[in-house]
Amino acid sequence: MAENHAQNKAKLVCEIRRRFEADYVSDKSDKYDPRDVERLQEDDNWVESYLHWRHNVVDETVKMIDESFQWRKEFSVNDLSESSIPRWLLELGGIYLHGYDKEGNKLFWIRVKYHVKDQKTIMDKKKLIAFWLERYAKRENGKPVTVMFDLSETGLNSIDMDFVRFIINCFRVYYPKYLSKMVIFDMPWIMNAAFRVVKGWLGPEAVSLLKFASKNEIQDYVNVEYLPPHMGGTDPFKYSYPPLVDDDFQTPLCENGPVASEDETSSREDIESDGKETLETVSNEEQTVLPKKVNSTELTSKAEENEKVDSKNKAFKKPLSVFKGPLLHISPAEELYFGSTESGEKKTLIVLTNVTKNVVAFKVRTTAPEKYRVKPSNSSCDPGASVDIVVSPHGGLTVSAQDRFLIMAAEMEQSSGTGPAELTQFWKEVPRNKVMEHRLRCHTVESSKPNTLTLKDNALNMSDKTSEDIYLQFATSRCEMDCSPP
């Protein structure tokens, strides 16, 4: 039965391609972007998404593809980038992807209160919608999204039915099969008539996907950890740009080259090399603190210099901030501090503490994998235990304020192993709505940051160090020797 279904689907896909080529492309090929025509011939999933939305009716499907492809060329969808959108619109935070619903579908947020009907800017706003959907479609290839129409604090001047119709057409024609549901939050009664019109635009095949929710009902669709406080949630996320909200986080580099895949661990040779390097560093540091004969003038000069350095450190000294997540407490809470280029890039520390009764698997990703070494980047943390993660710029590359780190965590079953093979399988199978995510920004400071945040590379003036400084130096050595990815 399943085999016959697959064969019939394959025949329909071939027929769609043949009909579209014969009836549309042969005479009017300039109507379309050649990249879309080529992709249609190669990507079965793309053809099937149009077929599915038109109930496997060939004539309706090829008409839909024609309309969709003309729109894609008109909007230059394949070439849309951040530079295609006015910066003020990206900074506004009215449209973005963030979080997941209860079924694990990505949330596509449309904060209507930030939209003001204006014919001069409507095309840019439509391009922003297309930019996000195309970006998501290329990365997820068919996984649906849940549209969150947030109407809180919205007045009539924010309602633009032309814009709403465009968004609906995106899912009806341009991105078929991508809509999981459309949740309308906190709709004022005065807009009831307008959304009766919206139901007509959606059509019978999609009207069942339209959900209206109040603050008391929104948790039927989204858990509190992905809802903002004004919806009764606990999500601490605050929109800012740059960079884009759903940055393309990747597994960072190891010291001796890129990780072959996100679930692979460092080789034994890498670990031994790291351990050897650390031992040599410790040995060198020990030599620097051996007593030597100095005259009183040198001692006075050195003391004055140390006092100046200490005063600078105290000026930057802050207590460690902590993000208290449901699975892990993460410190620091928001920013990783690195030394400036002039002072030399410094290693920095992320501390994860497991606050559950089960083992928690974690991964660390970054938007700039070519820049950083992260150890460990893929491991697990026992109940009640803490793991120190050392982050260091790779090969002397410069830290940027636009770089981001993403910590992903998920609770494991008690019977699960925590070896490399078990972790690989675990991350393949864990539902996205069970994964906790937390982002950290990068920050560069002029002089050395307090020792609670930045790990020193040299063990100078050991006698002046606090017990906290000594602990952090020890933690660095321990992490680099023992905490390489499993």
Side-chain angles (χ1 to χ4, degrees):
M1 188 76 175
E3 185 177 345
N4 289 337
H5 178 75
Q7 289 176 351
N8 290 335
K9 185 70 71 176
K11 289 179 180 178
L12 284 172
V13 168
C14 289
E15 179 63 12
I16 290 295
R17 287 170 172 157
R18 187 192 67 78
R19 285 280 304 277
F20 187 69
E21 182 72 30
D23 298 350
Y24 292 91
V25 178
S26 58
D27 297 330
K28 303 173 183 177
S29 58
D30 59 330
K31 289 200 307 181
Y32 315 121
D33 186 325
R35 290 169 288 184
D36 291 333
V37 177
E38 182 179 355
R39 182 184 168 194
L40 192 76
Q41 297 298 326
E42 298 173 353
D43 189 343
D44 289 352
N45 287 333
W46 207 22
V47 181
E48 288 177 12
S49 68
Y50 289 105
L51 264 170
H52 173 83
W53 203 249
R54 285 294 173 259
H55 307 289
N56 295 333
V57 178
V58 173
D59 286 343
E60 293 297 318
T61 302
V62 291
K63 288 178 183 177
M64 184 180 183
I65 293 173
D66 170 56
E67 183 180 349
S68 176
F69 279 20
Q70 287 189 62
W71 170 81
R72 290 179 65 84
K73 184 174 182 180
E74 177 189 352
F75 273 68
S76 302
V77 171
N78 287 310
D79 298 313
L80 283 177
S81 65
E82 288 175 70
S83 61
S84 309
I85 313 297
R87 185 182 175 94
W88 70 267
L89 200 51
L90 291 167
E91 291 175 341
L92 190 62
I95 300 166
Y96 55 87
L97 289 160
H98 170 69
Y100 300 89
D101 69 6
K102 283 190 169 183
E103 297 170 337
N105 301 311
K106 194 78 174 180
L107 297 177
F108 186 36
W109 291 87
I110 299 174
R111 304 290 305 280
V112 181
K113 74 174 184 177
Y114 293 116
H115 178 81
V116 176
K117 188 173 182 179
D118 181 3
Q119 289 303 313
K120 294 179 181 179
T121 61
I122 187 63
M123 182 56 70
D124 287 329
K125 291 170 183 174
K126 288 179 178 180
K127 282 187 176 181
L128 182 56
I129 293 284
F131 165 76
W132 277 116
L133 290 178
E134 184 69 10
R135 178 181 168 91
Y136 177 80
K138 285 179 177 176
R139 286 162 60 172
E140 299 297 339
N141 194 25
K143 292 183 181 179
V145 297
T146 291
V147 177
M148 295 289 287
F149 259 107
D150 182 2
L151 290 167
S152 56
E153 303 176 51
T154 299
L156 284 176
N157 63 332
S158 297
I159 299 300
D160 184 346
M161 298 310 291
D162 176 50
F163 188 51
V164 172
R165 186 166 193 165
F166 171 79
I167 294 169
I168 288 171
N169 271 341
C170 282
F171 292 103
R172 287 185 66 250
V173 181
Y174 313 142
Y175 294 91
K177 206 180 175 182
Y178 273 93
L179 182 63
S180 165
K181 54 188 163 293
M182 189 175 289
V183 181
I184 314 297
F185 174 76
D186 200 19
M187 188 181 74
W189 66 268
I190 201 169
M191 297 178 188
N192 285 338
F195 274 88
R196 278 198 292 271
V197 176
V198 169
K199 287 182 179 181
W201 290 341
L202 279 169
E205 71 273 15
V207 72
S208 62
L209 304 179
L210 194 64
K211 313 292 182 183
F212 293 87
S214 64
K215 192 172 182 178
N216 295 328
E217 299 163 333
I218 192 66
Q219 289 183 37
D220 292 344
Y221 308 106
V222 183
N223 288 324
V224 290
E225 60 262 32
Y226 286 123
L227 288 174
H230 74 272
M231 289 186 175
T234 59
D235 189 354
F237 168 79
K238 292 182 179 179
Y239 180 90
S240 64
Y241 176 85
L244 293 170
V245 180
D246 69 332
D247 286 311
D248 190 12
F249 288 99
Q250 302 171 51
T251 302
L253 289 176
C254 286
E255 176 130 308
N256 299 317
V259 179
S261 74
E262 68 177 46
D263 295 309
E264 286 192 37
T265 57
S266 300
S267 65
R268 184 176 298 276
E269 289 79 8
D270 290 347
I271 296 170
E272 290 174 354
S273 173
D274 293 333
K276 182 179 178 183
E277 177 193 354
T278 306
L279 287 173
E280 289 173 352
T281 302
V282 172
S283 176
N284 292 335
E285 289 174 348
E286 288 174 350
Q287 291 176 19
T288 65
V289 297
L290 289 176
K292 58 181 181 180
K293 293 182 179 180
V294 293
N295 58 42
S296 58
T297 304
E298 289 175 330
L299 282 172
T300 304
S301 175
K302 192 68 177 175
E304 290 175 351
E305 183 182 338
N306 290 342
E307 188 173 347
K308 290 178 181 178
V309 172
D310 288 342
S311 66
K312 286 182 180 180
N313 283 344
K314 287 174 183 176
F316 284 104
K317 204 143 200 169
K318 295 179 182 178
L320 275 174
S321 55
V322 180
F323 167 76
K324 296 183 178 182
L327 306 181
L328 295 174
H329 286 183
I330 301 171
S331 181
E334 296 182 353
E335 291 185 319
L336 295 177
Y337 289 91
F338 295 86
S340 66
T341 304
E342 291 76 17
S343 63
E345 301 294 359
K346 302 292 183 180
K347 297 175 183 177
T348 192
L349 189 69
I350 303 172
V351 181
L352 308 182
T353 303
N354 184 348
V355 294
T356 74
K357 296 181 179 180
N358 294 317
V359 173
V360 171
F362 67 85
K363 281 200 246 187
V364 184
R365 291 180 165 186
T366 179
T367 57
E370 73 282 358
K371 288 186 181 181
Y372 298 98
R373 176 194 181 202
V374 177
K375 282 200 154 189
S377 63
N378 180 18
S379 189
S380 61
C381 185
D382 292 332
S386 294
V387 174
D388 297 337
I389 299 172
V390 178
V391 181
S392 55
H394 181 76
L397 294 171
T398 304
V399 174
S400 169
Q402 294 191 14
D403 297 341
R404 295 289 189 271
F405 282 82
L406 174 70
I407 297 167
M408 302 171 63
E411 216 168 351
M412 303 183 76
E413 297 290 338
Q414 292 184 353
S415 58
S416 301
T418 57
E422 289 87 353
L423 285 171
T424 298
Q425 192 62 32
F426 172 78
W427 284 112
K428 287 180 179 178
E429 296 175 352
V430 64
R432 290 302 299 268
N433 61 345
K434 300 294 184 183
V435 178
M436 173 191 133
E437 295 184 354
H438 185 66
R439 289 164 168 75
L440 295 171
R441 301 187 296 271
C442 291
H443 187 82
T444 305
V445 292
E446 292 298 325
S447 58
S448 58
K449 199 66 184 169
N451 296 321
T452 51
L453 295 178
T454 304
L455 305 181
K456 291 187 176 181
D457 293 323
N458 297 310
L460 297 173
N461 307 313
M462 205 62 175
S463 60
D464 294 331
K465 288 184 178 293
T466 63
S467 59
E468 184 181 40
D469 298 333
I470 295 169
Y471 161 73
L472 283 171
Q473 280 195 312
F474 171 76
T476 309
S477 300
R478 179 165 63 84
C479 279
E480 292 192 4
M481 294 177 66
D482 300 329
C483 294
S484 55

